[in-house]
Amino acid sequence: KVDPSYTSQMCSSCGIINKSNRQGEKYSCCRCGVSIDADYNASINIKMRGTTNLAHLKELTQQDIMG
């Protein structure tokens, strides 16, 4: 399960969280200048969080197996 908090306000390129970066359906980062669809930006952030969660889970599982 992925926590979606702030994924629509976080830049998928540089990671800054700034509420004013999202203007309706458009996301424009004030730090790095990336400009993309806001929902697409959020989906990239959710994917990255999910990938990180899976990698962490895999690491924990391997530690359990190896003792």
Side-chain angles (χ1 to χ4, degrees):
K1 188 172 183 178
V2 175
D3 180 6
S5 300
Y6 303 103
T7 55
S8 67
Q9 298 173 15
M10 183 172 85
C11 180
S12 58
S13 181
C14 74
I16 189 174
I17 296 174
N18 187 327
K19 186 177 182 178
S20 65
N21 284 344
R22 180 166 182 165
Q23 300 294 321
E25 294 181 13
K26 186 175 180 183
Y27 181 89
S28 296
C29 182
C30 62
R31 178 194 277 167
C32 72
V34 73
S35 183
I36 59 177
D37 179 81
D39 289 338
Y40 182 62
N41 178 67
S43 71
I44 293 169
N45 290 328
I46 289 170
K47 180 181 177 184
M48 288 191 301
R49 285 186 187 178
T51 302
T52 301
N53 289 350
L54 286 175
H56 182 67
L57 180 61
K58 182 178 178 182
E59 180 182 311
L60 291 176
T61 303
Q62 287 176 344
Q63 288 174 1
D64 288 342
I65 292 170
M66 298 175 126

